[in-house]
Amino acid sequence: MTSKALDTFLNENLADLKAHGLYNEIDPVQGANGAKISINGKQLINLSSNNYLGLATDERLKQVAKAAVESHGVGAGAVRTINGTLNLHIELEQKLAEFKGTEAVISYQSGFNCNMAAISAVMDKNDAILSDELNHASIIDGCRLSRAKVIRFGHSDMEDLRQKAKEAVESGLYNKVMVITDGVFSMDGDVAKLPEIVEIAEEFDLITYVDDAHGSGVLGKGAGTVKHFGLQDKVDLQMGTLSKAIGVIGGYVAGKANLIDWLKVRSRPFLFSTAVSPADAAASKKAVEILMESTELHDKLWENGNYLKAGLKKLGFNIGDSETPITPCIIGDEKAAQEFSTRLADAGVYAKSIVFPTVPKGTGRVRNMPTAAHTKEMLDEAIAAYEKVGKEMGLI
Ligand SMILES: Cc1ncc(COP(=O)(O)O)c(C=O)c1O
């Protein structure tokens, strides 16, 4: 017999989420996740992915992935510390270190794992972490796992950060204090104030950690938010993902050689979980090479982002204060945001609604992510759909 308590818990909570418009229906996608996607047999313009540069379907990546399957098989076989480490993982890490301008890099199975791994390997219960209140869930969970005291500061509020850093350091309660922030905030598209954060970190000897999941491939001519501000020598840990702009799967932490040596012996997802497949490692390395050779995809991404933003703003939508191609359309009410998204899909545009807990309550939105793979025609079609549905719903 299965647990009645579990059934009651699940049924009550699922019903509650559905009643409040907070239950996310997941759409099955037939075929590749490109500029257009097929859902329930209908072709839609896809404005929901993080495939910023269109590399998820790039022919050059597919070719190296196929070759890696032929030469290395489909799986890594075991945890890297137990069964040796594939040359493909080492080559990927060397390429990433070159790209990031750091001494070394360690790769993980996902961006989420990076934050679980690195934060908890470096910080412990005798430490404190100053964390931006809008930081990603994986940072929040990584902080919890470390058992350090978490001190939240107001979103990009540098006065608040300075005050809390001062209090934490002067309290004498902690061995080490870290400041941690997203490089680019994924739901709003704003960029962390890294020059000020680094200045405060220098004043109080804080460890600096930047999660650049949404900055890599997008800012700093592709090398990320830290490079964008020229701060490669001033940030201790730069985390990045291989699943968004890079188009594949996995994540990495870049930093000094001693940091990476430590993570290789003390971070649990590296020690107790098998690495990404040979095809993933080879395709990710190829993507980094493409970014290092040319800014063509990066430039196209920005051109498309600026075009979509201008179009939606002109229609009268609230697109927030994004500084990157991420283009939110903030509706507010969760149910209205979900209805807007459903109606956009009927009109041919796949732009998913984002509601609590991914964003704060009352800030429901449709998040648009134009990529380098979109054409102007696709974006014009999307803007026309926004106009039609926005007027029908009285939003503009
Ligand atoms: C800021 C941030 N960090 C980490 C992650 C996790 O990355 P991944 O999808 O590679 O696990 C995400 C993904 O949404 C993210 O937005």
Side-chain angles (χ1 to χ4, degrees):
M1 206 177 82
T2 55
S3 161
K4 276 195 201 126
L6 177 63
D7 258 346
T8 309
F9 165 80
L10 296 174
N11 293 338
E12 280 179 10
N13 284 292
L14 285 168
D16 186 57
L17 287 180
K18 284 177 187 168
H20 290 92
L22 298 174
Y23 183 78
N24 185 14
E25 296 283 353
I26 302 172
D27 302 310
V29 178
Q30 289 90 36
N33 193 326
K36 285 200 166 186
I37 47 173
S38 176
I39 292 177
N40 296 328
K42 196 173 169 194
Q43 281 278 310
L44 303 172
I45 295 164
N46 182 15
L47 289 179
S48 283
S49 85
N50 291 316
N51 178 23
Y52 293 116
L53 302 173
L55 286 170
T57 52
D58 190 282
E59 280 308 318
R60 295 163 290 184
L61 270 66
K62 286 200 235 173
Q63 287 311 319
V64 296
K66 284 181 201 161
V69 168
E70 286 305 327
S71 60
H72 289 69
V74 293
V79 169
R80 291 169 68 183
T81 48
I82 290 178
N83 195 210
T85 186
L86 297 183
N87 59 325
L88 294 174
H89 294 124
I90 296 171
E91 286 165 22
L92 169 64
E93 289 167 346
Q94 285 169 345
K95 189 51 72 183
L96 281 166
E98 205 186 310
F99 185 46
K100 288 277 158 181
T102 58
E103 283 176 16
V105 158
I106 179 171
S107 63
Y108 293 93
Q109 306 82 353
S110 72
F112 203 105
N113 262 5
C114 290
N115 286 334
M116 305 301 277
I119 302 169
S120 64
V122 170
M123 305 303 279
D124 63 33
K125 63 179 180 359
N126 301 311
D127 299 327
I129 304 176
L130 297 151
S131 178
D132 187 291
E133 66 180 345
L134 291 190
N135 275 344
H136 187 254
S138 55
I139 296 183
I140 295 169
D141 288 3
C143 289
R144 281 187 188 143
L145 196 59
S146 74
R147 296 185 294 151
K149 167 85 180 160
V150 179
I151 304 166
R152 294 192 339 156
F153 61 92
H155 175 52
S156 282
D157 182 340
M158 294 299 105
E159 264 319 298
D160 196 31
L161 172 61
R162 182 182 296 277
Q163 184 57 31
K164 287 178 173 157
K166 188 170 187 294
E167 279 166 19
V169 170
E170 287 179 357
S171 74
L173 290 171
Y174 310 110
N175 288 345
K176 309 191 282 308
V177 182
M178 170 186 276
V179 55
I180 188 161
T181 183
D182 280 19
V184 171
F185 290 86
S186 60
M187 295 301 141
D188 294 281
D190 56 323
V191 179
K193 294 177 180 158
L194 288 190
E196 287 99 320
I197 290 176
V198 161
E199 198 188 300
I200 294 169
E202 283 184 341
E203 189 178 337
F204 296 104
D205 191 28
L206 311 178
I207 299 166
T208 43
Y209 188 125
V210 177
D211 172 336
D212 217 12
H214 295 272
S216 299
V218 177
L219 287 171
K221 295 281 174 210
T225 314
V226 173
K227 179 87 181 291
H228 169 76
F229 288 112
L231 295 170
Q232 300 93 302
D233 297 334
K234 305 211 166 180
V235 170
D236 295 298
L237 294 97
Q238 288 188 60
M239 170 268 170
T241 170
L242 300 167
S243 66
K244 303 188 193 300
I246 298 297
V248 192
I249 188 77
Y252 57 92
V253 176
K256 292 212 317 222
N258 58 1
L259 168 75
I260 305 307
D261 286 347
W262 177 250
L263 295 179
K264 282 184 181 162
V265 293
R266 273 294 176 273
S267 61
R268 293 165 73 83
F270 185 81
L271 294 171
F272 298 106
S273 183
T274 303
V276 295
S277 74
D280 295 324
S284 293
K285 179 178 161 231
K286 184 70 191 170
V288 176
E289 281 166 0
I290 291 170
L291 290 190
M292 289 173 81
E293 275 159 22
S294 152
T295 60
E296 192 187 331
L297 292 174
H298 162 275
D299 297 346
K300 184 81 182 141
L301 165 70
W302 278 86
E303 193 186 312
N304 281 346
N306 290 337
Y307 189 78
L308 183 70
K309 269 186 186 164
L312 295 183
K313 200 168 177 183
K314 201 165 150 210
L315 288 176
F317 283 104
N318 172 8
I319 60 164
D321 299 316
S322 172
E323 300 165 74
T324 60
I326 295 170
T327 309
C329 247
I330 302 164
I331 309 290
D333 178 69
E334 278 78 18
K335 282 201 159 165
Q338 286 181 329
E339 186 188 339
F340 188 46
S341 166
T342 308
R343 290 207 198 187
L344 281 172
D346 292 339
V349 177
Y350 190 66
K352 212 52 190 157
S353 59
I354 311 276
V355 295
F356 179 81
T358 311
V359 292
K361 274 190 182 149
T363 70
R365 67 197 60 195
V366 169
R367 175 184 184 261
N368 300 285
M369 200 44 250
T371 71
H374 286 94
T375 61
K376 282 271 149 37
E377 291 70 36
M378 290 177 197
L379 297 179
D380 283 336
E381 234 181 277
I383 293 167
Y386 260 91
E387 182 170 16
K388 176 177 173 288
V389 179
K391 282 186 176 155
E392 278 169 11
M393 286 182 64
L395 297 171
I396 49 170

